[in-house]
Amino acid sequence: MQGLLRLSRAIDWLNAQVGKVVIWLIMASTAISALNALVRYIFNTSSNAFLEVQWYLFAWSFLVAAGFTLLNREHVRIDVLNSRLPKKAQIWIDIVGFAAFLTPVCLLVLYYTVPMTMQKFASGEMSGNPGGLIRWPVWLALPIGFTLLLLQGWSELIKRIAFLTGDGPDPTVKPGEKTAEEELAEVLRQRAEADARNANTAATAPQAR
């Protein structure tokens, strides 16, 4: 299990680094969009290459950051019922989801997109728009993005199994978020400090009179 946990930490580190890079892709897409709007407004002209590179960058940032999003537990979840279940039941639901749903879907997407991407690269297919870009770079985002998502799904699966076996912490707590035990300890600490202040106030009150 310790070896699997080291693998999980390596995957987490990889997707965390990818998340830092994606920020720059979004910034570049925004800058190109603003530049394209200015050129169209000032010079009354535009370029399909500028338009296409915008959605190339957006596709890369959206797809490649999927693993980073899963790492930080930011995907849309419906927790109306799940949040009311015991912790172990929640963990088992996640395990089934990662093993029986996420993994097969990612493998299926990779099965179809890897040969298609290789075909686009070999053929040198270009955009059908005048002045457009070559197509394979945007197709490449699919296998890379789903590979990172698949790896992160396996990382989350390892962390949940480790939690059930007592070899790891609660993986459902977001980074920086306090567990229920930590929140309870914080409440008790604040009450103890308040009681101490009240006791000091009561002790000094007779002296003041």
Coordinates of all heavy atoms in Angstrom, one line a residue, residues 83-156:
S83 N -24.0 13.2 1.0 CA -23.5 13.9 2.2 C -24.2 13.4 3.4 O -23.6 13.6 4.5 CB -23.6 15.4 2.0 OG -25.0 15.7 1.9
R84 N -25.3 12.8 3.3 CA -26.1 12.3 4.5 C -25.7 10.9 4.9 O -26.1 10.4 5.9 CB -27.6 12.4 4.3 CG -28.1 13.8 4.0 CD -29.6 13.8 3.6 NE -30.0 15.1 3.3 CZ -30.5 16.0 4.1 NH1 -30.5 15.7 5.4 NH2 -30.9 17.2 3.7
L85 N -24.9 10.2 4.0 CA -24.5 8.8 4.3 C -23.3 8.8 5.2 O -22.5 9.8 5.3 CB -24.2 8.1 3.0 CG -25.3 8.0 2.0 CD1 -24.8 7.4 0.7 CD2 -26.4 7.1 2.6
P86 N -23.1 7.7 5.9 CA -21.8 7.5 6.7 C -20.6 7.7 5.9 O -20.6 7.4 4.6 CB -22.0 6.1 7.3 CG -23.4 5.8 7.2 CD -23.9 6.5 6.0
K87 N -19.5 8.0 6.5 CA -18.2 8.3 5.7 C -17.8 7.1 4.9 O -17.4 7.2 3.7 CB -17.1 8.7 6.7 CG -15.8 8.9 6.1 CD -15.8 10.1 5.1 CE -16.1 11.4 5.8 NZ -16.0 12.5 4.9
K88 N -17.9 5.9 5.5 CA -17.5 4.7 4.8 C -18.4 4.4 3.5 O -17.9 4.0 2.5 CB -17.5 3.5 5.7 CG -16.3 3.4 6.6 CD -16.2 2.1 7.4 CE -14.9 2.0 8.2 NZ -14.8 0.7 8.9
A89 N -19.6 4.7 3.7 CA -20.5 4.6 2.5 C -20.2 5.5 1.4 O -20.2 5.2 0.2 CB -22.0 4.8 3.0
Q90 N -19.8 6.8 1.8 CA -19.4 7.7 0.8 C -18.1 7.3 0.1 O -18.0 7.4 -1.2 CB -19.1 9.1 1.5 CG -20.4 9.7 2.1 CD -20.0 11.1 2.7 OE1 -19.1 11.8 2.3 NE2 -20.8 11.4 3.8
I91 N -17.2 6.7 0.8 CA -15.9 6.2 0.3 C -16.2 5.1 -0.7 O -15.6 5.0 -1.8 CB -15.0 5.8 1.4 CG1 -14.6 7.0 2.3 CG2 -13.7 5.1 0.8 CD1 -13.8 8.0 1.5
W92 N -17.1 4.2 -0.3 CA -17.4 3.0 -1.2 C -18.1 3.5 -2.5 O -17.8 3.0 -3.6 CB -18.3 2.0 -0.5 CG -17.4 1.0 0.3 CD1 -17.3 0.9 1.7 CD2 -16.6 0.0 -0.3 NE1 -16.5 -0.1 2.0 CE2 -16.0 -0.7 0.8 CE3 -16.3 -0.4 -1.5 CZ2 -15.1 -1.7 0.7 CZ3 -15.4 -1.4 -1.7 CH2 -14.8 -2.1 -0.6
I93 N -18.9 4.5 -2.4 CA -19.6 5.1 -3.6 C -18.5 5.6 -4.5 O -18.5 5.4 -5.8 CB -20.6 6.1 -3.2 CG1 -21.8 5.5 -2.6 CG2 -21.0 6.9 -4.5 CD1 -22.8 6.5 -2.0
D94 N -17.5 6.3 -4.0 CA -16.4 6.9 -4.8 C -15.6 5.8 -5.4 O -15.2 5.9 -6.6 CB -15.5 7.8 -3.9 CG -16.1 9.1 -3.6 OD1 -17.2 9.5 -4.2 OD2 -15.6 9.8 -2.7
I95 N -15.3 4.7 -4.7 CA -14.5 3.6 -5.2 C -15.2 3.0 -6.4 O -14.6 2.7 -7.4 CB -14.3 2.6 -4.1 CG1 -13.3 3.1 -3.1 CG2 -13.7 1.3 -4.7 CD1 -13.0 2.2 -1.9
V96 N -16.5 2.7 -6.3 CA -17.3 2.2 -7.4 C -17.3 3.1 -8.6 O -17.2 2.7 -9.7 CB -18.7 1.8 -6.9 CG1 -19.6 1.4 -8.1 CG2 -18.7 0.7 -5.9
G97 N -17.5 4.4 -8.3 CA -17.5 5.4 -9.4 C -16.2 5.4 -10.1 O -16.2 5.4 -11.4
F98 N -15.1 5.5 -9.4 CA -13.8 5.5 -10.1 C -13.4 4.2 -10.8 O -12.9 4.3 -11.9 CB -12.7 5.8 -9.1 CG -12.7 7.2 -8.5 CD1 -12.6 7.4 -7.1 CD2 -12.9 8.3 -9.3 CE1 -12.7 8.7 -6.6 CE2 -12.9 9.6 -8.8 CZ -12.8 9.8 -7.4
A99 N -13.8 3.1 -10.2 CA -13.4 1.8 -10.8 C -14.3 1.4 -11.9 O -13.9 0.9 -13.0 CB -13.4 0.7 -9.7
A100 N -15.6 1.6 -11.7 CA -16.6 1.1 -12.7 C -17.1 2.1 -13.7 O -17.7 1.6 -14.7 CB -17.8 0.5 -11.9
F101 N -16.9 3.3 -13.5 CA -17.4 4.3 -14.4 C -16.3 5.2 -15.0 O -16.1 5.3 -16.2 CB -18.5 5.2 -13.7 CG -19.7 4.5 -13.3 CD1 -19.8 4.0 -12.0 CD2 -20.7 4.2 -14.3 CE1 -21.0 3.3 -11.7 CE2 -21.8 3.5 -13.9 CZ -22.0 3.0 -12.6
L102 N -15.5 5.9 -14.2 CA -14.5 6.8 -14.7 C -13.4 6.0 -15.5 O -13.1 6.5 -16.6 CB -13.8 7.5 -13.5 CG -12.7 8.5 -13.9 CD1 -13.3 9.6 -14.7 CD2 -12.0 9.0 -12.7
T103 N -12.9 4.9 -14.9 CA -11.9 4.2 -15.6 C -12.3 3.7 -17.0 O -11.6 3.9 -18.0 CB -11.3 3.1 -14.8 OG1 -10.7 3.6 -13.6 CG2 -10.3 2.2 -15.5
P104 N -13.5 3.0 -17.1 CA -13.9 2.5 -18.4 C -14.1 3.6 -19.4 O -13.8 3.5 -20.6 CB -15.2 1.7 -18.1 CG -15.1 1.3 -16.7 CD -14.3 2.5 -16.1
V105 N -14.7 4.7 -19.0 CA -15.0 5.8 -19.9 C -13.7 6.4 -20.4 O -13.6 6.7 -21.6 CB -15.9 6.9 -19.2 CG1 -15.9 8.2 -20.0 CG2 -17.3 6.4 -19.0
C106 N -12.7 6.7 -19.6 CA -11.4 7.2 -20.0 C -10.7 6.3 -21.0 O -10.2 6.7 -22.0 CB -10.6 7.5 -18.8 SG -11.1 8.9 -17.8
L107 N -10.8 5.0 -20.7 CA -10.1 4.0 -21.5 C -10.8 3.9 -22.9 O -10.2 3.8 -23.9 CB -10.1 2.6 -20.9 CG -9.2 2.4 -19.7 CD1 -9.4 1.1 -19.1 CD2 -7.7 2.7 -20.0
L108 N -12.1 4.1 -22.9 CA -12.9 4.1 -24.2 C -12.5 5.3 -25.0 O -12.3 5.2 -26.2 CB -14.4 4.0 -23.9 CG -15.3 3.9 -25.1 CD1 -15.1 2.6 -25.8 CD2 -16.8 4.0 -24.7
V109 N -12.5 6.4 -24.4 CA -12.1 7.7 -25.1 C -10.7 7.6 -25.7 O -10.4 7.9 -26.8 CB -12.2 8.9 -24.2 CG1 -11.7 10.2 -24.9 CG2 -13.7 9.1 -23.8
L110 N -9.8 7.0 -24.9 CA -8.4 6.9 -25.3 C -8.3 5.9 -26.5 O -7.6 6.1 -27.4 CB -7.5 6.4 -24.2 CG -7.2 7.4 -23.1 CD1 -6.5 6.8 -21.9 CD2 -6.4 8.6 -23.7
Y111 N -9.1 4.8 -26.4 CA -9.2 3.8 -27.5 C -9.5 4.4 -28.8 O -9.0 4.0 -29.9 CB -10.2 2.7 -27.1 CG -10.4 1.7 -28.2 CD1 -9.4 0.6 -28.3 CD2 -11.4 1.7 -29.0 CE1 -9.6 -0.4 -29.3 CE2 -11.6 0.7 -30.0 CZ -10.7 -0.3 -30.1 OH -10.8 -1.3 -31.1
Y112 N -10.4 5.4 -28.8 CA -10.8 6.0 -30.1 C -10.0 7.2 -30.5 O -9.7 7.5 -31.7 CB -12.3 6.4 -30.0 CG -13.3 5.3 -30.1 CD1 -13.9 4.8 -29.0 CD2 -13.5 4.6 -31.3 CE1 -14.8 3.7 -29.1 CE2 -14.3 3.6 -31.4 CZ -15.0 3.1 -30.3 OH -15.8 2.0 -30.4
T113 N -9.5 8.0 -29.5 CA -8.9 9.3 -29.8 C -7.4 9.1 -30.1 O -6.9 9.9 -30.9 CB -9.0 10.3 -28.7 OG1 -8.5 9.8 -27.5 CG2 -10.5 10.7 -28.4
V114 N -6.7 8.1 -29.6 CA -5.3 8.0 -29.9 C -5.1 7.7 -31.4 O -4.3 8.4 -32.0 CB -4.7 6.9 -29.0 CG1 -3.3 6.5 -29.5 CG2 -4.6 7.4 -27.5
P115 N -5.7 6.7 -32.0 CA -5.5 6.5 -33.4 C -6.0 7.6 -34.3 O -5.4 7.9 -35.3 CB -6.3 5.2 -33.7 CG -7.3 5.0 -32.6 CD -6.6 5.6 -31.4
M116 N -7.1 8.3 -33.8 CA -7.6 9.5 -34.6 C -6.5 10.6 -34.6 O -6.3 11.3 -35.6 CB -8.9 9.9 -34.1 CG -10.0 9.0 -34.3 SD -11.6 9.5 -33.6 CE -12.0 10.9 -34.7
T117 N -5.9 10.8 -33.4 CA -4.9 11.9 -33.3 C -3.7 11.5 -34.2 O -3.1 12.4 -34.9 CB -4.5 12.1 -31.9 OG1 -5.7 12.4 -31.1 CG2 -3.5 13.2 -31.7
M118 N -3.3 10.3 -34.1 CA -2.2 9.8 -35.0 C -2.5 10.0 -36.4 O -1.6 10.4 -37.2 CB -1.8 8.4 -34.6 CG -1.3 8.2 -33.2 SD -1.0 6.4 -32.8 CE 0.3 6.0 -34.0
Q119 N -3.7 9.7 -36.8 CA -4.1 9.9 -38.2 C -4.1 11.3 -38.6 O -3.6 11.7 -39.7 CB -5.5 9.3 -38.4 CG -6.1 9.4 -39.8 CD -7.5 9.0 -40.0 OE1 -8.1 8.5 -39.0 NE2 -8.0 9.1 -41.2
K120 N -4.6 12.2 -37.7 CA -4.5 13.7 -38.0 C -3.1 14.1 -38.2 O -2.8 15.0 -39.1 CB -5.2 14.5 -36.9 CG -6.7 14.1 -36.7 CD -7.6 14.5 -37.8 CE -9.0 14.2 -37.4 NZ -10.0 14.5 -38.5
F121 N -2.2 13.6 -37.4 CA -0.8 14.0 -37.4 C -0.2 13.5 -38.7 O 0.6 14.3 -39.4 CB 0.0 13.5 -36.2 CG 1.4 13.8 -36.2 CD1 1.9 15.0 -35.9 CD2 2.3 12.8 -36.6 CE1 3.2 15.3 -35.9 CE2 3.7 13.1 -36.7 CZ 4.1 14.3 -36.3
A122 N -0.4 12.3 -39.1 CA 0.2 11.7 -40.3 C -0.3 12.4 -41.6 O 0.4 12.6 -42.5 CB -0.1 10.2 -40.4
S123 N -1.6 12.8 -41.6 CA -2.2 13.4 -42.8 C -1.9 14.9 -42.9 O -2.0 15.4 -44.0 CB -3.7 13.1 -42.8 OG -4.3 13.8 -41.7
G124 N -1.6 15.5 -41.7 CA -1.3 16.9 -41.8 C -2.6 17.7 -42.1 O -2.5 18.8 -42.7
E125 N -3.7 17.2 -41.6 CA -5.0 17.8 -41.9 C -5.1 19.3 -41.5 O -4.7 19.6 -40.3 CB -6.2 17.0 -41.3 CG -7.5 17.6 -41.5 CD -8.6 16.8 -40.8 OE1 -8.4 15.6 -40.5 OE2 -9.7 17.4 -40.5
M126 N -5.6 20.1 -42.3 CA -5.7 21.6 -42.0 C -7.1 21.9 -41.8 O -8.0 21.2 -42.2 CB -5.1 22.4 -43.2 CG -3.6 22.2 -43.5 SD -2.6 22.8 -42.1 CE -2.9 24.5 -42.2
S127 N -7.3 23.1 -41.2 CA -8.6 23.6 -41.0 C -9.3 23.9 -42.4 O -8.6 24.3 -43.3 CB -8.6 24.9 -40.2 OG -9.8 25.6 -40.2
G128 N -10.6 23.7 -42.4 CA -11.3 24.0 -43.6 C -11.5 25.5 -43.8 O -12.0 25.9 -44.9
N129 N -11.2 26.3 -42.8 CA -11.4 27.8 -43.0 C -10.1 28.4 -43.6 O -9.0 28.0 -43.3 CB -11.6 28.4 -41.6 CG -12.8 27.9 -40.9 OD1 -13.9 27.8 -41.5 ND2 -12.7 27.6 -39.6
P130 N -10.3 29.4 -44.5 CA -9.1 30.1 -45.1 C -8.2 30.6 -44.0 O -8.6 31.3 -43.1 CB -9.8 31.2 -45.9 CG -11.2 30.8 -46.1 CD -11.6 30.0 -44.9
G131 N -6.9 30.3 -44.1 CA -5.9 30.8 -43.2 C -6.0 30.1 -41.8 O -5.4 30.6 -40.9
G132 N -6.7 29.0 -41.8 CA -6.9 28.2 -40.5 C -5.6 27.5 -40.1 O -4.6 27.5 -40.9
L133 N -5.7 26.8 -39.0 CA -4.5 26.1 -38.4 C -4.6 24.6 -38.7 O -5.6 24.1 -39.1 CB -4.5 26.3 -36.9 CG -4.4 27.8 -36.4 CD1 -4.5 27.8 -34.9 CD2 -3.2 28.5 -37.0
I134 N -3.4 24.0 -38.5 CA -3.3 22.5 -38.6 C -4.1 21.9 -37.5 O -4.2 22.5 -36.4 CB -1.9 22.1 -38.6 CG1 -1.8 20.6 -39.1 CG2 -1.2 22.3 -37.2 CD1 -0.3 20.2 -39.4
R135 N -4.7 20.7 -37.7 CA -5.7 20.2 -36.8 C -5.2 19.3 -35.6 O -5.7 19.3 -34.6 CB -6.8 19.4 -37.5 CG -7.8 20.2 -38.3 CD -8.7 20.9 -37.3 NE -9.8 21.5 -37.9 CZ -10.2 22.8 -37.6 NH1 -9.5 23.5 -36.8 NH2 -11.2 23.3 -38.2
W136 N -4.0 18.6 -35.9 CA -3.6 17.6 -34.9 C -3.3 18.2 -33.5 O -3.5 17.5 -32.5 CB -2.5 16.8 -35.4 CG -1.2 17.5 -35.5 CD1 -0.6 18.0 -36.7 CD2 -0.2 17.7 -34.5 NE1 0.6 18.5 -36.4 CE2 0.9 18.4 -35.1 CE3 -0.1 17.4 -33.1 CZ2 2.0 18.7 -34.4 CZ3 1.0 17.7 -32.4 CH2 2.0 18.4 -33.0
P137 N -2.8 19.4 -33.4 CA -2.5 19.9 -32.0 C -3.7 20.0 -31.1 O -3.6 19.7 -29.9 CB -1.9 21.3 -32.3 CG -1.3 21.3 -33.6 CD -2.3 20.4 -34.4
V138 N -4.9 20.4 -31.7 CA -6.1 20.4 -30.8 C -6.6 19.0 -30.5 O -7.1 18.7 -29.4 CB -7.2 21.3 -31.4 CG1 -7.8 20.6 -32.6 CG2 -8.2 21.7 -30.4
W139 N -6.4 18.1 -31.4 CA -6.8 16.7 -31.2 C -5.9 16.1 -30.1 O -6.4 15.2 -29.3 CB -6.7 15.9 -32.5 CG -7.9 16.0 -33.3 CD1 -8.2 17.0 -34.3 CD2 -9.1 15.2 -33.3 NE1 -9.4 16.8 -34.9 CE2 -10.0 15.7 -34.3 CE3 -9.5 14.1 -32.6 CZ2 -11.2 15.1 -34.5 CZ3 -10.7 13.5 -32.8 CH2 -11.6 14.0 -33.8
L140 N -4.7 16.5 -30.0 CA -3.8 15.9 -29.0 C -4.2 16.2 -27.6 O -3.9 15.4 -26.7 CB -2.4 16.5 -29.3 CG -1.2 16.0 -28.4 CD1 -1.0 14.5 -28.7 CD2 0.1 16.7 -28.7
A141 N -5.0 17.2 -27.4 CA -5.5 17.6 -26.1 C -6.4 16.5 -25.5 O -6.5 16.3 -24.3 CB -6.2 18.9 -26.1
L142 N -7.1 15.7 -26.4 CA -8.0 14.7 -26.0 C -7.3 13.5 -25.3 O -7.6 13.2 -24.1 CB -8.8 14.2 -27.1 CG -10.0 15.1 -27.5 CD1 -10.6 14.7 -28.9 CD2 -11.1 14.9 -26.4
P143 N -6.3 12.8 -25.9 CA -5.6 11.8 -25.2 C -4.8 12.2 -24.0 O -4.8 11.5 -23.0 CB -4.7 11.1 -26.3 CG -4.6 12.2 -27.4 CD -5.9 13.0 -27.3
I144 N -4.2 13.4 -24.1 CA -3.4 13.8 -23.0 C -4.4 14.2 -21.8 O -4.1 13.8 -20.6 CB -2.6 15.1 -23.3 CG1 -1.5 14.7 -24.3 CG2 -2.0 15.7 -22.1 CD1 -0.6 15.9 -24.8
G145 N -5.4 14.9 -22.1 CA -6.4 15.2 -21.0 C -7.0 14.0 -20.3 O -7.1 13.9 -19.1
F146 N -7.5 13.0 -21.1 CA -8.1 11.9 -20.5 C -7.1 10.9 -19.9 O -7.5 10.2 -19.0 CB -8.9 11.1 -21.6 CG -10.3 11.7 -21.8 CD1 -10.5 12.7 -22.7 CD2 -11.4 11.3 -21.0 CE1 -11.8 13.3 -22.8 CE2 -12.6 11.8 -21.1 CZ -12.9 12.8 -22.0
T147 N -5.8 11.0 -20.3 CA -4.8 10.2 -19.6 C -4.6 10.8 -18.2 O -4.5 10.0 -17.2 CB -3.5 10.2 -20.4 OG1 -3.7 9.5 -21.7 CG2 -2.4 9.5 -19.7
L148 N -4.5 12.1 -18.1 CA -4.3 12.7 -16.8 C -5.5 12.5 -15.9 O -5.4 12.3 -14.7 CB -4.0 14.2 -17.0 CG -2.7 14.6 -17.7 CD1 -2.7 16.1 -18.0 CD2 -1.5 14.2 -16.8
L149 N -6.7 12.6 -16.5 CA -7.9 12.3 -15.7 C -7.9 10.9 -15.2 O -8.3 10.6 -14.1 CB -9.1 12.6 -16.6 CG -10.5 12.4 -15.9 CD1 -10.7 13.3 -14.7 CD2 -11.6 12.7 -16.9
L150 N -7.6 9.9 -16.1 CA -7.5 8.5 -15.7 C -6.5 8.3 -14.6 O -6.9 7.6 -13.6 CB -7.2 7.7 -16.9 CG -7.0 6.2 -16.7 CD1 -8.3 5.5 -16.2 CD2 -6.5 5.5 -18.0
L151 N -5.3 8.9 -14.7 CA -4.3 8.7 -13.7 C -4.8 9.3 -12.3 O -4.6 8.7 -11.3 CB -3.0 9.4 -14.1 CG -2.3 8.7 -15.2 CD1 -1.1 9.6 -15.6 CD2 -1.8 7.3 -14.8
Q152 N -5.5 10.5 -12.4 CA -6.0 11.1 -11.2 C -7.1 10.2 -10.6 O -7.2 10.1 -9.3 CB -6.4 12.5 -11.4 CG -6.7 13.3 -10.2 CD -5.5 13.4 -9.3 OE1 -4.4 13.7 -9.8 NE2 -5.7 13.1 -8.0
G153 N -7.9 9.6 -11.4 CA -8.9 8.7 -10.9 C -8.3 7.6 -10.2 O -8.8 7.2 -9.1
W154 N -7.3 7.0 -10.7 CA -6.6 5.9 -10.0 C -6.0 6.4 -8.7 O -5.9 5.7 -7.7 CB -5.5 5.3 -10.9 CG -6.1 4.5 -12.0 CD1 -7.4 4.1 -12.2 CD2 -5.4 4.0 -13.2 NE1 -7.6 3.4 -13.3 CE2 -6.4 3.4 -14.0 CE3 -4.1 4.2 -13.7 CZ2 -6.1 2.8 -15.2 CZ3 -3.8 3.6 -14.9 CH2 -4.8 2.9 -15.7
S155 N -5.4 7.6 -8.7 CA -4.8 8.2 -7.5 C -5.9 8.3 -6.4 O -5.7 8.0 -5.2 CB -4.2 9.5 -7.8 OG -3.8 10.2 -6.6
E156 N -7.1 8.8 -6.8 CA -8.2 9.0 -5.8 C -8.7 7.6 -5.3 O -9.0 7.4 -4.2 CB -9.3 9.7 -6.5 CG -9.0 11.1 -6.9 CD -8.5 12.0 -5.8 OE1 -9.1 11.9 -4.7 OE2 -7.5 12.8 -6.0

